[in-house]
DNA sequence: TGGGCTGAGGGCAAGAATGA
DNA sequence: TCATTCTTGCCCTCAGCCCA
């Protein structure tokens, strides 16, 4: 990464995911400039028009508006860094505005319908305890990150109730789903991993927090068996959206919905507004 | 051969920052 | 104060590998 920008990002505590995405966009931008000008371009030669042309090129490549805006945001951060380091006299990105996009969110699944098949999923002899538990927790509005809780975060209140402490909320499983979860939890005793949902086989030995693809894989199987007529297979976002709508239809206060889903009130309010139901 | 799983990269949501 | 924009990084899809 040129001009110490990568180190700057690392020092600011950005994750490796973010740093990699920054690096990719900046390389892509400089690659575009080299292609257009048939030479390596100096920083002081870069104009706002170059950035606009680059963004237009990305649009021509059928990238979505949010992706292009993300790239613009990265370039802004990069040029702002160069400007602060006195490596450029004028920041060429500072006045470029993000593109607008108006998109209606869609709801493909009804939460009552999802809840209705839960007993069938829990009793399906062909499903593993892990798959059953993943579905139970998905119906509680779990995001992928929520599945990365540890064995220590689980508290068995009694035979029919389990409390799971997540980063920003607590989840209670009761009845049959608690019984299934307990069986799944017990099956992990012989495993050294500290995670309840973990990877099983990876190059570096497994035992780390579960991968998003694994969760989606199980949800897709459930989709195929119980929702074959839906265009889109189940995923965590669709379930969370359905849950949010359901909670709102139950006339729950926004603060309570936000607390249940582990987000802030404003996010809930914005989303309901975009769905035109509020 | 098919179930289980992963890597890469684009897309999108959440929350912070900014502006009217 | 509320709406809008921006930043960050998590989520999802696709393609394909591994293994029983």
């Amino acid at each position: 990464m040129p001009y110490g920008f990568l180190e700057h990002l690392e020092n600011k505590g950005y994750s490796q995911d973010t740093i990699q995405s920054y690096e990719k966009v900046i390389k892509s931008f400089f690659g575009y400039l080299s292609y257009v000008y048939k030479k390596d371009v100096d920083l002081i030669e870069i104009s706002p028009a170059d950035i606009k042309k680059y963004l237009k090129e990305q649009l021509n490549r059928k990238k979505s508006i949010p992706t292009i805006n993300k790239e613009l945001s990265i370039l802004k951060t990069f040029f702002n860094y160069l400007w602060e380091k006195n490596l450029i006299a004028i920041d060429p990105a500072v006045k470029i505005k993000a593109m607008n996009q108006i998109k209606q969110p869609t709801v493909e699944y009804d939460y009552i319908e999802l809840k209705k098949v839960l007993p069938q999923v829990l009793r399906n002899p062909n499903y593993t305890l892990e798959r059953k538990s993943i579905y139970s927790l998905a119906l509680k509005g779990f995001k992928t990150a929520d599945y990365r809780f540890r064995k220590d975060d689980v508290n068995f209140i009694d035979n029919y109730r389990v409390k799971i402490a997540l980063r920003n909320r607590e989840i209670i499983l009761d009845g049959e789903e608690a019984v299934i979860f307990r069986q799944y939890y017990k099956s992990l005793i012989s495993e050294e991993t500290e995670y309840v949902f973990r990877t099983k086989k990876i190059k570096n030995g497994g035992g780390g927090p579960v991968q998003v693809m694994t969760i989606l894989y199980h949800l897709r199987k459930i989709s195929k068996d119980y929702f074959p007529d839906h265009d889109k297979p189940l995923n965590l976002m669709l379930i969370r959206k359905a849950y949010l709508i359901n909670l709102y239809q139950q006339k729950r206060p926004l603060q309570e919905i936000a607390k249940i889903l582990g987000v802030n009130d404003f996010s809930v309010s914005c989303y309901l507004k975009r769905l035109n139901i509020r």
Side-chain angles (χ1 to χ4, degrees):
Chain A
M1 180 67 63
Y3 318 109
F5 185 57
L6 182 66
E7 293 73 20
H8 168 70
L9 296 178
E10 280 175 350
N11 292 339
K12 282 182 81 177
Y14 286 13
S15 72
Q16 282 306 310
D17 270 359
T18 304
I19 293 171
Q20 278 171 18
S21 66
Y22 274 56
E23 188 176 12
K24 192 171 147 275
V25 170
I26 291 164
K27 275 186 179 168
S28 164
F29 177 64
F30 278 97
Y32 168 80
L33 293 181
S34 301
Y35 172 75
V36 169
Y37 291 106
K38 312 292 180 207
K39 63 163 189 167
D40 286 342
V41 176
D42 270 353
L43 288 179
I44 53 167
E45 295 178 290
I46 299 170
S47 68
D50 290 324
I51 299 173
K52 285 178 186 168
K53 281 178 198 164
Y54 169 76
L55 297 175
K56 199 174 172 189
E57 171 66 19
Q58 304 313 302
L59 198 58
N60 292 338
R61 290 183 180 192
K62 308 288 180 202
K63 286 189 182 177
S64 74
I65 304 266
T67 301
I68 293 168
N69 284 338
K70 180 184 175 179
E71 296 200 8
L72 171 61
S73 167
I74 290 170
L75 291 174
K76 277 174 178 278
T77 307
F78 176 60
F79 283 108
N80 180 58
Y81 164 80
L82 296 176
W83 184 76
E84 284 183 347
K85 293 276 172 189
N86 288 322
L87 294 167
I88 50 174
I90 295 167
D91 179 347
V94 72
K95 286 191 177 174
I96 299 177
K97 299 252 182 205
M99 297 178 185
N100 288 328
Q101 185 190 37
I102 299 161
K103 197 176 175 186
Q104 288 296 327
T106 53
V107 180
E108 284 87 356
Y109 285 85
D110 173 25
Y111 188 73
I112 294 171
E113 181 186 32
L114 295 170
K115 196 84 182 172
K116 213 165 143 185
V117 305
L118 177 62
Q120 297 170 56
V121 169
L122 295 179
R123 291 165 203 166
N124 188 322
N126 298 319
Y127 285 178
T128 60
L129 294 168
E130 182 184 27
R131 181 174 295 170
K132 293 173 183 180
S133 298
I134 284 175
Y135 188 67
S136 290
L137 294 172
L139 294 192
K140 302 287 183 191
F142 262 44
K143 296 185 284 188
T144 308
D146 295 333
Y147 282 94
R148 293 175 183 154
F149 62 88
R150 294 159 201 264
K151 289 176 179 172
D152 291 347
D153 297 324
V154 179
N155 177 20
F156 293 97
I157 302 166
D158 54 41
N159 284 342
Y160 298 99
R161 270 186 308 162
V162 181
K163 186 163 79 180
I164 302 168
L166 302 179
R167 202 175 30 152
N168 50 12
R169 65 196 196 278
E170 280 186 352
I171 299 293
I172 302 281
L173 292 176
D174 52 17
E176 196 173 358
E177 49 187 1
V179 172
I180 295 287
F181 182 81
R182 177 189 275 268
Q183 288 172 10
Y184 170 63
Y185 187 92
K186 277 188 177 175
S187 73
L188 301 170
I189 286 172
S190 59
E191 295 190 21
E192 282 184 15
T193 176
E194 58 187 319
Y195 297 100
V196 174
F197 293 96
R198 76 294 181 219
T199 52
K200 288 165 193 160
K201 54 154 197 178
I202 340 179
K203 289 168 195 168
N204 60 18
V210 66
Q211 298 285 311
V212 57
M213 294 75 78
T214 304
I215 296 167
L216 292 171
Y217 175 76
H218 288 299
L219 291 179
R220 197 165 293 184
K221 289 284 179 192
I222 293 168
S223 285
K224 205 175 155 190
D225 291 343
Y226 295 100
F227 305 103
D229 300 331
H230 283 71
D231 293 338
K232 261 189 148 182
L234 269 181
N235 63 46
L236 293 173
M237 279 299 172
L238 290 175
I239 297 174
R240 263 173 83 82
K241 284 175 190 173
Y243 192 24
L244 166 65
I245 304 295
N246 179 264
L247 290 170
Y248 184 72
Q249 286 168 345
Q250 288 177 28
K251 312 259 184 246
R252 302 279 193 105
L254 289 194
Q255 292 83 352
E256 191 187 331
I257 297 175
K259 201 175 166 191
I260 291 169
L261 293 173
V263 296
N264 66 24
D265 306 356
F266 183 67
S267 297
V268 172
S269 170
C270 276
Y271 195 77
L272 290 169
K273 211 172 270 179
R274 296 216 314 273
L275 285 167
N276 286 329
I277 61 172
R278 186 163 185 264

